[in-house]
Amino acid sequence: MTNSPLPFDPSASAPHKPVLLREMLEHLNPAEGEIIVDGTFGAGGYSRAILDHAPCTLYGIDRDPSAVATGTKLAADYDGRFHMVEGCFGDMATLLPAHGVAQVDGIVLDIGVSSMQIDQADRGFSFRTDGPLDMRMSMSGPSAADFVNTAEEEDIANVIYRFGEERASRKVAHKIVEMRAETPFTSTGQLASAVRSVVRKAKDGIDPATRTFQGLRIHVNDELGELDRALNAAETILKPGGRLVVVTFHSLEDRLVKTFFKERCGDPRKQSRRLPGEPEAAKPTFSTLSRKVVTAQKDELRANPRARSAKLRAAERNDLPSTAAKKTGGAA
Ligand SMILES: C[S@@+](CC[C@H](N)C(=O)[O-])C[C@H]1O[C@@H](n2cnc3c(N)ncnc32)[C@H](O)[C@@H]1O
C-alpha cells in the first residue's frame, strides 16, 4: 500500500497503526448527529477515532471478512452508533441505502491493504513469507494463482507493467508461463523465486518480487476500479457540506484522486474567463479542503515509517447535482 519501493514495511506489525489520523479527523470534521462512512474499516483505527471525537453515527465498510468480524465486535462498544457493513466501497451508493442510509455527511477512505492482511502468510499477499498465492481481500473470486496460471502471457505482462510499474514485465510474464507449464503456481514463495530468477536486485536492495506482487494485488482486487467507483459514488451520496477524505499510498491511486478532485472542484478562473462560443466548463460539485496534498509530519514518520508515502486529499460537496445525475438527467 505504499508508493515507496517497499510496499509493505517489514516493521509494520499487527495491529494496524492508522496513518495521518490527526489530519484525517481535521479534514473530515465529524460533528454531533452526523452520519459518517469509513469505507475501509480495517482494524477500526479511523472508525474508533471518529466515534470518540464526536457523537455521530458511523457506518464501517470492509470487503475482508476478518475486518468485518472485528467491526461486528466493536458495535457493542458504541451503543448503536456504529454499524459494520460487509462489501466493497465502490458499491457504497447501493450498500448504504440497503441499510436505510440515503445521504451522508462524511466519507473517509484509507486505500490499500492492512498490516494484518500483509502479516498473515495464509492471505498470500507477501513475498517475504511463504503462503498460498491468494491476495484476495474479500477471500472470494479468482485468486492471484488463478490469474498467473490461466491468463495469457501478454495480459500478465500488462498487469505487472501497469499496476506494478515493473519494467521487466515481459521477462517476468514469460518466466511465469514457462514455469507454469511444468508446475502450476500455488505459493507466494514459488512466484517470488520465479521473479527473482529473471529480475536483478536493484542497488537500493529492494526485493525484485516487490513490483510483481503489487501489480497482481491491484489487479486481483480491482483496486483502481474500486477507487474510481467510490469517488463517483461519494459525489452522489454526500449531502451539501459533506466531506470526502481520501488517503492513498501509491502514485497510481493518488493520481486518480488528484484528477477527480481537480475535475470536480473546477477552476474558478475557467468559469469566469470563458471565451464567446466556448462550451461552459462543468460546474464544480466540490470545493477543495486541501489545496496542497497533506503528508505525514516528522513525529508520525518517526513513529510509523509506513506513513512516509501516505497522501491525504479532501474536498467538500456543494449542492449542485452530481456529474452522474447531470449525464442521465436524474436528480442524484
Ligand atoms: C489500510 S486498511 C484501513 C485501515 C483503517 N483505516 C484502520 O485505521 O484500521 C484498508 C482496508 O480497506 C479494505 N479495503 C480495501 N479495498 C476495499 C474495497 N474496495 N472495499 C471495501 N474494503 C476495502 C481492506 O480490506 C483493508 O481492511
Side-chain angles (χ1 to χ4, degrees):
M1 60 185 279
T2 114
N3 183 27
S4 70
L6 287 172
F8 317 115
D9 195 292
S11 65
S13 57
H16 185 91
K17 237 191 229 175
V19 169
L20 293 174
L21 187 61
R22 184 169 59 197
E23 293 81 354
M24 177 280 291
L25 275 179
E26 198 183 300
H27 288 84
L28 186 67
N29 195 18
E32 181 167 1
E34 287 192 332
I35 300 177
I36 306 291
V37 177
D38 176 357
T40 49
F41 177 81
Y46 274 15
S47 284
R48 257 184 258 111
I50 295 165
L51 288 160
D52 293 342
H53 184 82
C56 56
T57 299
L58 191 136
Y59 287 80
I61 301 176
D62 208 293
R63 58 171 23 176
D64 186 332
S66 55
V68 173
T70 308
T72 306
K73 282 190 215 135
L74 184 77
D77 297 347
Y78 286 96
D79 209 15
R81 290 202 292 127
F82 176 71
H83 307 273
M84 188 71 222
V85 178
E86 181 162 5
C88 287
F89 55 57
D91 298 330
M92 70 173 110
T94 48
L95 277 177
L96 293 164
H99 285 77
V101 180
Q103 295 256 282
V104 304
D105 301 280
I107 298 173
V108 61
L109 298 171
D110 179 15
I111 304 300
V113 277
S114 66
S115 307
M116 297 83 67
Q117 288 166 332
I118 287 304
D119 291 346
Q120 284 163 17
D122 64 342
R123 299 300 303 271
F125 285 100
S126 178
F127 50 81
R128 296 178 198 286
T129 44
D130 197 21
L133 185 56
D134 193 318
M135 302 195 192
R136 297 168 301 173
M137 292 183 192
S138 63
M139 299 185 187
S140 64
S143 66
D146 293 330
F147 179 69
V148 298
N149 287 327
T150 59
E152 297 288 334
E153 183 174 326
E154 192 182 343
D155 293 340
I156 299 174
N158 287 343
V159 160
I160 297 173
Y161 181 73
R162 193 167 156 225
F163 302 141
E165 299 177 290
E166 170 60 72
R167 291 214 304 238
S169 59
R170 299 213 171 277
K171 252 200 237 172
V172 174
H174 188 71
K175 186 73 187 170
I176 288 173
V177 169
E178 191 180 271
M179 286 180 71
R180 78 182 186 195
E182 295 290 318
T183 321
F185 286 89
T186 55
S187 75
T188 54
Q190 237 180 320
L191 180 66
S193 321
V195 180
R196 289 177 193 134
S197 72
V198 288
V199 184
R200 260 186 292 130
K201 196 169 189 156
K203 283 197 197 102
D204 48 18
I206 292 157
D207 192 305
T210 306
R211 293 178 292 276
T212 292
F213 270 63
Q214 176 187 291
L216 290 174
R217 193 203 83 212
I218 292 178
H219 171 73
V220 165
N221 296 290
D222 186 20
E223 293 181 33
L224 299 181
E226 270 296 308
L227 179 55
D228 186 48
R229 285 189 286 279
L231 296 173
N232 285 289
E235 190 187 43
T236 69
I237 64 166
L238 275 171
K239 292 178 191 168
R243 288 82 57 202
L244 171 61
V245 180
V246 190
V247 176
T248 59
F249 292 81
H250 189 278
S251 56
L252 294 171
E253 293 155 353
D254 181 55
R255 206 175 304 148
L256 243 170
V257 178
K258 188 176 167 184
T259 307
F260 176 85
F261 279 165
K262 207 168 160 191
E263 276 173 19
R264 300 307 204 274
C265 293
D267 179 347
R269 286 164 308 177
K270 273 201 188 145
Q271 306 287 334
S272 54
R273 290 200 199 141
R274 196 158 51 94
L275 296 169
E278 194 181 336
E280 198 179 339
K283 291 231 166 41
T285 50
F286 282 92
S287 55
T288 186
L289 292 172
S290 55
R291 209 153 277 290
K292 275 173 76 182
V293 65
V294 179
T295 54
Q297 302 279 317
K298 281 194 188 126
D299 58 342
E300 180 170 10
L301 290 173
R302 269 194 299 272
N304 185 7
R306 207 169 52 82
R308 67 190 181 279
S309 42
K311 289 194 164 80
L312 180 150
R313 297 183 191 271
E316 184 176 307
R317 182 76 170 92
N318 63 25
D319 57 2
L320 290 179
S322 73
T323 312
K326 274 183 257 167
K327 277 184 195 153
T328 57

